[in-house]
Amino acid sequence: MSTLKGKRILIAKPGLDGHDIGAKIIALALRDAGAEVIYTGLRKTPGFIARVAVDEDVDAVGLSLLSGSHKELVAETMQELRSLDASDIPVFVGGTIPAEDRAALTEAGVIGIFTAEMRLDDVVAEVARVLVPVRAA
Amino acid sequence: MAVAAAASKADGQLDRRALGRALSRIANTSVEEALDGMRETAGGASRIGITGPPGAGKSTLIGRLARQRLDSGAAVAVVAIDPTSPHTHGAILGDRIRMDGVADDPRLFIRSLASRGANDGLADNIADVLATLDGYPFDEVILETVGVGQAEYAVRALVDTLVLVLIPESGDQVQAMKAGTLEMADIYVVNKADLPGAERIASEIRAVARLRRRLTSDWEPPVIMTAADRPDDIAALHDAISRHLAFARASRNIDEVRRLRREYHVKSLLMRTVTDILAENPRAVDCSPREAFELVVARLRERRR
Ligand code: B12
Ligand SMILES: Nc1nc2c(ncn2[C@@H]2O[C@H](COP(=O)(O)OP(=O)(O)OP(=O)(O)O)[C@@H](O)[C@H]2O)c(=O)[nH]1
Ligand SMILES: [Mg+2]
């Protein structure tokens, strides 16, 4: 419970993709784990998403992509973040990501890729593992 | 915890990265750090507070209003607060998404905050967040409170102009609010005037407004009916806010304003500390009220050493 307390996370939908069920489920799951979640709504440009990430100074951006255009949109969003001096903000990706594309996304700097086969608890636990530094006991 | 020196980049552009980070630092400040960094404000950006019950249309109106104020040449920042769950500590910061139309306008800076420990309609460290914005080149800051009930009017102390947004369904609330939030507002809005019942509630509020004028000040709070989609209504609200800001600037006693803001600041830090102490000592209230009280006071003293 509350493993993500105080963490601010932006869930964003880049491009023309109108599938928002997964993004909303993830937003609620992260909230229930203690995070403060901002959701952009559908059909946002990479430039807009990067600007919101900067203004809100989030601890992570989660892109939800079910359109098939994930490689292009992830690359553009990373580029926009760099141009705003915010390449240090970690980026997660979720949605319909075929196994053969995972390496390319990881290469581009994405630090976690999540698909519908994964259990929600495991998704949240993995996000927490990356965002919350383990405290020395 | 000084205001970031680099308010803007060399080319005069707002340094959004620096501002974003400064606001996170302030929002995460402990009581102890906040005490040392406490700053006086009043004299920075004009502050417009928008409050009202959940779902009244505060964010939607702010979106429209911000667009109009930006177009009239003001540099505007919005701070929007949503409630933190006391159980999970999580929050959905959903105000931004309602500010459609203007949220993707790069002239506007929007910051969403979770209320965290605060239960007065505001957020932890909100006084310092607003003070920090005073260090950046904004003419106006619009502050959206959490959706509130009858008695959460702490925002009053922190803003120059307070707008209370009600809706036709708030009918019964007007009665209940008479001795609370309703007395504090400078401008009343009956939003969702496209729905039935708006005129009836507007006339109830007008009666309260007239009474207030007789009792207290030279300002008779206007009652404005709005439908978020009607530009004329937004223009009327925009004008009323401009008029009240001018009135407040001309008539306010700056020392008194500062005193009220300081009082809010100290009170909110004390409240947070007491809440923390009670959370850390769940057995503290297992004795008589007097003993529990003494225990909390003792813990308070220990913290200050
Ligand atoms: C429901 C659905 C629709 C609904 C969407 C309703 C809505 N408001 O979302 C409707 C009917 C509108 C629709 C329309 C279309 N769809 Co459709 N749709 C689906 C379907 C069947 C399920 C999607 C879904 O909601 N799943 C349930 C949620 C919970 O899962 P999820 O989104 O994957 O999210 C989970 C994980 O991926 C992950 N996750 C997701 N995002 C994120 C973000 C972060 C940060 C993290 C950590 C995790 C995470 O966590 C979630 C929870 O487990 C899929 C098929 C499929 N198996 O995915 C096709 C599918 C996505 N659709 C598809 C297509 C092509 C379309 C259409 C273009 C037309 C068409 N041929 O049907 C239109 C276009 C819509 C548009 N404007 O974009 C294709 C996409 C192809 C591709 N990726 O290359 C799919 C894959 C079907 C297919 N096999 O062809 N669709
Ligand atoms: N009919 C009608 N609906 C409106 C109007 N203004 C806003 N709404 C709707 O009311 C709902 C709530 O609007 P918000 O702007 O989110 O309200 P809010 O007061 O900010 O809500 P909280 O921040 O959750 O307290 C949304 O569905 C809006 O579309 C209006 O003038 N008329
Ligand atoms: Mg709102």
Side-chain angles (χ1 to χ4, degrees), chain B residues 53-60 82 95 98 144 147 191-192 194-195 227-228:
Chain B
K58 300 179 289 297
S59 305
T60 311
D82 273 304
D95 293 322
R98 293 284 186 205
E144 176 178 344
N191 190 40
K192 308 197 186 183
D194 49 315
L195 303 179

Side-chain angles (χ1 to χ4, degrees), chain A residues 44-61:
Chain A
K44 301 300 175 189
T45 64
F48 172 82
I49 291 167
R51 190 162 54 70
V52 173
V54 163
D55 286 4
E56 299 282 3
D57 189 39
V58 291
D59 297 294
V61 176

Side-chain angles (χ1 to χ4, degrees), chain A residues 1-2 5-6 8 27-28 31-41 44 48 51-52 54-57 84-86 88-89, chain B residues 16-17 20-21 23-25 28 84 87-94 96-97 103-106 108-114 116:
Chain A
M1 267 283 108
S2 303
K5 182 177 175 189
R8 294 165 58 83
L28 294 177
R31 176 201 63 183
D32 291 342
E36 297 170 359
V37 182
I38 301 162
Y39 172 53
T40 57
K44 301 300 175 189
F48 172 82
R51 190 162 54 70
V52 173
V54 163
D55 286 4
E56 299 282 3
D57 189 39
L84 294 177
D85 183 27
D88 55 315
I89 299 180
Chain B
R16 307 176 87 111
R17 186 79 176 120
R21 285 178 155 154
L23 293 178
S24 298
R25 204 165 49 246
N28 292 333
T84 292
H87 301 296
T88 64
H89 303 290
I92 295 286
L93 307 182
R96 170 185 280 275
I97 200 171
D104 37 16
D105 187 329
L108 185 63
F109 181 88
I110 304 177
R111 182 57 176 241
S112 313
L113 293 176
R116 299 197 173 167

Side-chain angles (χ1 to χ4, degrees), chain B residues 275-297:
Chain B
T275 307
D276 286 352
I277 289 173
L278 286 172
E280 286 160 18
N281 301 277
R283 321 282 321 164
V285 290
D286 286 358
C287 44
S288 75
R290 173 168 296 280
E291 282 165 323
F293 187 90
E294 296 298 345
L295 186 139
V296 172
V297 171

